[in-house]
Amino acid sequence: MSGSTITPWVVGNWKMNPMQANAQQLIIDLKQQLKAGDILAGTCRIGVAPVSIALLTTKAQLEDATVEVMTVAQDVSRVAGTGAYTGEVSAELLKDSQIDYVLIGHSERREIFADTASVVAEKVKNALSAGLHIIYCVGESLEQREAGQAEQVVLQQICDISVVVNAEQWSNITVAYEPIWAIGTGKTASPEDAQSMHAKIRQGLTQITPFGANTAILYGGSVKAENAVELAACPDINGALVGGASLNAESFYQIAHAFAQSK
Ligand code: PGA
């Protein structure tokens, strides 16, 4: 037991996966796991983040899940509203389609798609104005960790958005700490290292918002069924953002189960 009163979140980030038929099967399998399992309502907030073209079908397919599963967008436009912005999906369009949650600042977006700190801040601002709940991703690279800059980098990423988020809006933000060197590599931060960074993030949050003590801080980076129990036992690790292991319903279920039990 972690002793935390924060309801954990376990969110599957499907990234640019899987093909339609496999996605549908994955949802069928996940619903089956949830039906057969013993995760009690209210013990864990479960979500999945499919590719944008699958958001609405995923949401519809999850409607009859025995445990609520949130449908989460993987990204949002830096531009608000509607207009001549080919290829973009705004926060308002997500909200209009009853998609209430969005990932912002994932390291793959920052590194591959040039989501700079200012782009990320614009996305956060728009998402909050449209009434979305954000899962805000932060994390350092291996070079930054080895140079002893991990804490500074992560706290700066929190500061980067604090200029556009007012104190009350922090209640609509969940933070995901994902060290870049642990994403998709099979290397997980040790529970001690992860807990230590989470505690620093929490300390930083409590300085900028009264909601800091209650903000869910998720860990991400090679979370699997095998390491979920020990991560879930850490007091400031309030859930997981799961990539690879979320593409298997049983693994994903077991991770959610580990966090639900840790409450
Ligand atoms: P991983 O990805 O679990 O495959 O490491 C996590 C993420 O990028 O959110």
Side-chain angles (χ1 to χ4, degrees):
M1 298 287 262
S2 70
S4 169
T5 54
I6 300 170
T7 303
W9 292 55
V10 173
V11 176
N13 176 10
W14 291 355
K15 307 191 180 183
M16 204 167 73
N17 298 294
M19 291 298 175
Q20 205 180 135
N22 293 337
Q24 281 169 10
Q25 189 59 48
L26 180 54
I27 299 169
I28 291 170
D29 294 346
L30 177 59
K31 287 198 292 187
Q32 185 50 40
Q33 290 283 331
L34 291 169
K35 194 171 173 189
D38 61 355
I39 295 180
L40 299 175
T43 56
C44 185
R45 304 191 67 177
I46 301 172
V48 293
V51 292
S52 60
I53 44 169
L55 281 166
L56 295 185
T57 49
T58 301
K59 187 176 167 63
Q61 222 192 321
L62 286 167
E63 248 6 282
D64 63 351
T66 49
V67 176
E68 188 188 348
V69 181
M70 306 172 279
T71 304
V72 180
Q74 293 179 15
D75 189 31
V76 66
S77 179
R78 67 187 290 191
V79 181
T82 53
Y85 302 100
T86 305
E88 293 294 285
V89 179
S90 68
E92 286 78 4
L93 287 170
L94 288 175
K95 190 72 187 171
D96 186 51
S97 290
Q98 281 91 49
I99 302 298
D100 296 323
Y101 303 90
V102 62
L103 302 180
I104 297 182
H106 192 282
S107 59
E108 287 154 13
R109 301 274 345 152
R110 292 180 192 261
E111 292 200 322
I112 309 170
F113 300 101
D115 277 11
T116 59
S118 65
V119 168
V120 166
E122 282 179 272
K123 291 182 174 188
V124 166
K125 187 167 185 276
N126 294 340
L128 289 173
S129 325
L132 300 180
H133 186 106
I134 296 169
I135 300 173
Y136 178 59
C137 305
V138 297
E140 81 285 358
S141 67
L142 186 58
E143 298 72 50
Q144 290 164 332
R145 174 155 283 259
E146 285 174 350
Q149 297 164 348
E151 183 185 332
Q152 185 197 328
V153 167
V154 167
L155 293 181
Q156 181 59 50
Q157 288 169 334
I158 301 282
C159 284
D160 291 342
I161 64 161
S162 67
V163 285
V164 295
V165 182
N166 65 41
E168 284 68 43
Q169 286 175 321
W170 279 99
S171 63
N172 290 320
I173 297 184
T174 295
V175 173
Y177 168 58
E178 301 201 299
I180 299 170
W181 47 271
I183 296 178
T185 58
K187 286 187 206 156
T188 323
S190 67
E192 297 73 29
D193 283 350
Q195 164 57 31
S196 149
M197 183 64 88
H198 281 230
K200 281 170 189 141
I201 294 171
R202 180 158 327 280
Q203 204 178 29
L205 288 172
T206 51
Q207 281 165 18
I208 50 181
T209 166
F211 297 102
N214 295 314
T215 302
I217 306 174
L218 321 184
Y219 171 78
S222 298
V223 177
K224 308 185 259 298
E226 294 75 24
N227 56 27
V229 172
E230 51 177 2
L231 288 165
C234 300
D236 289 300
I237 301 185
N238 317 114
L241 183 55
V242 187
S246 70
L247 296 172
N248 177 289
E250 194 182 342
S251 308
F252 184 63
Y253 172 82
Q254 283 172 10
I255 296 166
H257 189 263
F259 278 93
Q261 294 288 312
S262 72
K263 236 192 137 214

